[in-house]
Amino acid sequence: MASMGSGSIPMFRSLAPRFYKDFFSCRQTLQRQNYATTPFFKRSTAPPFLRKASSPIFNTTSKRSFTSTSNKLTSTSSAASAAESVAASSKSSFPKISDKIVAYWLLGSAASVFGIVIFGGLTRLTESGLSITEWRPVTGSLPPLNTADWESEFAKYRESPEFHLLNPHMNLSEFKKIYYMEWIHRLWGRFVGLSFVLPAVYFVAKRRVSKPMALRITGIAGMIGFQGFLGWWMVKSGLKDDLFAPGSHPRVSQYRLTAHLGAAFAVYVAMLWNGLAILRSHRLLSDPQAGTQLLDTLRNPKLKIFRRSVAGLALLVFITSMSGALVAGLDAGLIYNEFPWMGQGLAPPKSELFDERYSRREDKSDLWWRNGLENPSLVQLNHRILALTTFASVIALSIYSRRSLAVKNLLPRSAKKGVHGVLGFACLQVTLGLSTLLYLVPIPLASAHQAGSLFLLTWVFVLGSRIWHPSRTARLLKLAAKTQGQQLSRKVPEAARKL
């Protein structure tokens, strides 16, 4: 008996199943280890199918997956080393798509830029932009704290052309009002820079953004710094009397004002577009089959004209806004305050529009473009023409989206809503523009008109983001759809065997 029992032990031992070491660990522990070694992007922000396809660790919730993994790995040490190597490589690499929190941060930054653009317009309308005559990025963050400091700042302002020609009777209390307007504008600009650069460094360092998005964020940060330089470059032009005619209204250079506003618009659009792109990628990847079908529909050649029209409309709205900056820089809105007439006709006389006094060359070769950029009459006429062209283009785009059966059937519902939004903001902007002109540029209407241009540009880009075909996201969708199909094909036989 003893000999039989001792001889049968090896036989039973050989017949006994060999369990993997982690079989004796509780499932909660295994899941916690899996969660700790999985990169943040793959465990929280990626869609479920993308997480399963790219997870470097075996799936502990499936017994079959656990068994197959244990058969492949021959020892615990090899499994641990493989997991550590994959986790290390994932920490040093960028994710495929950026985290949603990055999109919300970009859109919040865009909202802050929107606000500072409108407040900057108020600063110009209230003649407050030239109240601070120095540029001190660090020490200028604090306003004057005592009477002596206020007297010092007021003395510097009294040396400027604006004080001599426009505000010779201004007292200290009146100076404080315009000073605080400009100080808030500059402080807001510093906030925009810090609230963008510091989170950008964090998101890139923590690999919360994709590699292309990291490069774009770096470019936006550089644009913000350049925008600060343009702001001071603009203000500096108003502190010298050699840039405007002697005895005329002191103002900053209309060229520098346009450059400053154009750079602000570019920063805003870059933040808006990239934030919307991240959210759209997540939305498409949440359902790869539906996302692939949507992008295939948007690639239809019949929508090519519509997509190009939206891109051209965005450019037209931007150019019209910049022509409005020229109107503001020259105070051209204070002349010909009637519509559609300008004097005795639809346009002033040719001799007024192309005045030789604006030419600076003997051969008059600069007559056309200098009048177009420096003559208030021609600048206002150009802005009217551009505004009417933009409005007509919006109406034509709206009609095309409704009357063309191909476009009507292929456009997604969100894009149709975008067309309605563009049309609504275009009508609102035309109403604000006419009201501003007819009522001799009151501050509330002028500020609302500037905000309306940015709202219109915003909605055009929103529409563009809904019909844009992201090639990189399309490649990820194809990979995700393929992975999801493979997972479903594996689950079907397993379910059949269980039945």
Side-chain angles (χ1 to χ4, degrees):
M1 292 291 293
S3 61
M4 184 181 299
S6 61
S8 62
I9 290 177
M11 178 182 65
F12 286 114
R13 184 180 300 171
S14 63
L15 294 176
R18 295 182 180 274
F19 295 105
Y20 191 67
K21 183 177 180 180
D22 287 343
F23 178 81
F24 300 97
S25 300
C26 67
R27 186 167 297 175
Q28 265 189 333
T29 303
L30 292 175
Q31 289 178 347
R32 192 178 300 112
Q33 292 174 354
N34 184 15
Y35 186 85
T37 55
T38 305
F40 177 85
F41 160 74
K42 295 179 182 177
R43 70 171 181 254
S44 62
T45 60
F49 64 85
L50 196 56
R51 248 181 278 152
K52 293 178 181 178
S54 58
S55 177
I57 314 299
F58 46 84
N59 186 1
T60 59
T61 60
S62 173
K63 294 181 180 179
R64 194 170 300 276
S65 176
F66 176 83
T67 305
S68 63
T69 306
S70 62
N71 291 334
K72 291 180 181 179
L73 299 177
T74 58
S75 65
T76 308
S77 59
S78 61
S81 61
E84 290 176 0
S85 62
V86 173
S89 63
S90 63
K91 289 181 181 178
S92 60
S93 60
F94 290 91
K96 295 297 182 182
I97 57 175
S98 303
D99 198 337
K100 276 187 177 181
I101 190 65
V102 179
Y104 299 139
W105 161 67
L106 283 170
L107 294 178
S109 299
S112 183
V113 174
F114 187 102
I116 195 175
V117 169
I118 305 308
F119 192 83
L122 286 173
T123 303
R124 183 193 57 80
L125 290 168
T126 56
E127 306 289 350
S128 305
L130 301 177
S131 58
I132 302 179
T133 60
E134 294 178 339
W135 175 247
R136 293 173 295 176
V138 179
T139 59
S141 300
L142 295 176
L145 300 177
N146 51 55
T147 305
D149 292 341
W150 277 113
E151 290 292 347
S152 176
E153 292 295 325
F154 191 31
K156 296 174 184 177
Y157 177 70
R158 287 198 298 265
E159 297 176 359
S160 66
E162 184 179 74
F163 177 82
H164 292 292
L165 299 175
L166 186 64
N167 300 319
H169 304 292
M170 176 177 285
N171 55 36
L172 182 60
S173 62
E174 294 171 338
F175 170 72
K176 288 182 179 181
K177 294 179 181 179
I178 64 172
Y179 184 95
Y180 274 121
M181 286 287 293
E182 176 64 11
W183 176 76
I184 292 174
H185 181 61
R186 295 192 184 190
L187 188 66
W188 198 336
R190 292 180 178 93
F191 171 77
V192 169
L194 291 177
S195 64
F196 188 88
V197 172
L198 296 181
V201 173
Y202 172 79
F203 288 137
V204 174
K206 293 295 183 179
R207 299 298 190 263
R208 304 286 289 273
V209 296
S210 63
K211 190 173 182 179
M213 188 59 62
L215 297 176
R216 296 177 189 178
I217 289 174
T218 303
I220 295 174
M223 292 169 63
I224 293 175
F226 182 66
Q227 169 69 357
F229 164 76
L230 286 177
W232 170 243
W233 185 58
M234 176 193 67
V235 171
K236 192 176 180 180
S237 67
L239 301 176
K240 298 180 180 180
D241 56 2
D242 56 346
L243 294 177
F244 46 87
S248 64
H249 192 292
R251 63 170 67 96
V252 298
S253 168
Q254 74 274 17
Y255 299 111
R256 301 186 187 186
L257 174 64
T258 304
H260 184 52
L261 183 65
F265 271 46
V267 170
Y268 170 77
V269 165
M271 293 176 177
L272 175 70
W273 180 264
N274 287 290
L276 293 175
I278 294 174
L279 293 180
R280 188 175 186 231
S281 296
H282 279 273
R283 187 164 53 252
L284 291 172
L285 288 169
S286 63
D287 189 349
Q289 299 293 341
T292 302
Q293 292 178 1
L294 175 61
L295 293 187
D296 289 341
T297 301
L298 293 179
R299 290 189 65 182
N300 194 304
K302 295 180 181 179
L303 287 179
K304 183 181 295 185
I305 296 178
F306 185 83
R307 287 199 304 270
R308 291 181 177 178
S309 299
V310 174
L313 180 62
L315 180 61
L316 185 58
V317 172
F318 180 81
I319 294 175
T320 304
S321 301
M322 294 306 101
S323 71
L326 289 174
V327 172
L330 294 171
D331 290 329
L334 298 175
I335 60 176
Y336 293 115
N337 300 102
E338 52 189 347
F339 187 86
W341 311 108
M342 294 183 70
Q344 300 298 323
L346 295 176
K350 184 178 180 179
S351 59
E352 180 181 346
L353 295 177
F354 301 99
D355 195 338
E356 295 184 356
R357 291 177 299 177
Y358 290 95
S359 176
R360 300 181 185 179
R361 296 181 181 177
E362 294 182 357
D363 58 355
K364 308 298 181 183
S365 58
D366 59 344
L367 179 67
W368 291 82
W369 70 266
R370 283 202 177 274
N371 275 276
L373 299 176
E374 300 179 4
N375 186 343
S377 299
L378 186 55
V379 167
Q380 188 190 126
L381 177 62
N382 290 338
H383 185 61
R384 290 188 180 202
I385 294 174
L386 285 170
L388 292 175
T389 303
T390 302
F391 185 60
S393 300
V394 171
I395 294 177
L397 183 69
S398 178
I399 295 175
Y400 179 63
S401 65
R402 295 183 180 184
R403 296 296 179 89
S404 174
L405 293 179
V407 174
K408 185 178 181 180
N409 294 330
L410 291 174
L411 272 185
R413 184 178 180 183
S414 60
K416 294 178 181 178
K417 291 181 178 179
V419 174
H420 296 160
V422 171
L423 180 60
F425 277 111
C427 294
L428 176 62
Q429 179 66 352
V430 169
T431 303
L432 290 173
L434 292 177
S435 301
T436 302
L437 180 69
L438 297 176
Y439 286 97
L440 298 176
V441 197
I443 292 178
L445 282 177
S447 181
H449 183 51
Q450 184 180 23
S453 66
L454 203 50
F455 271 121
L456 178 58
L457 185 64
T458 298
W459 209 251
V460 172
F461 271 87
V462 169
L463 172 60
S465 69
R466 295 176 179 179
I467 61 173
W468 165 60
H469 183 273
S471 56
R472 190 170 182 273
T473 302
R475 291 193 296 268
L476 291 176
L477 274 173
K478 290 182 180 179
L479 177 62
K482 182 179 179 181
T483 304
Q484 192 179 44
Q486 293 175 352
Q487 290 177 350
L488 291 175
S489 63
R490 286 197 300 266
K491 288 181 179 180
V492 170
E494 291 177 3
R497 283 195 297 268
K498 290 180 180 179
L499 294 176

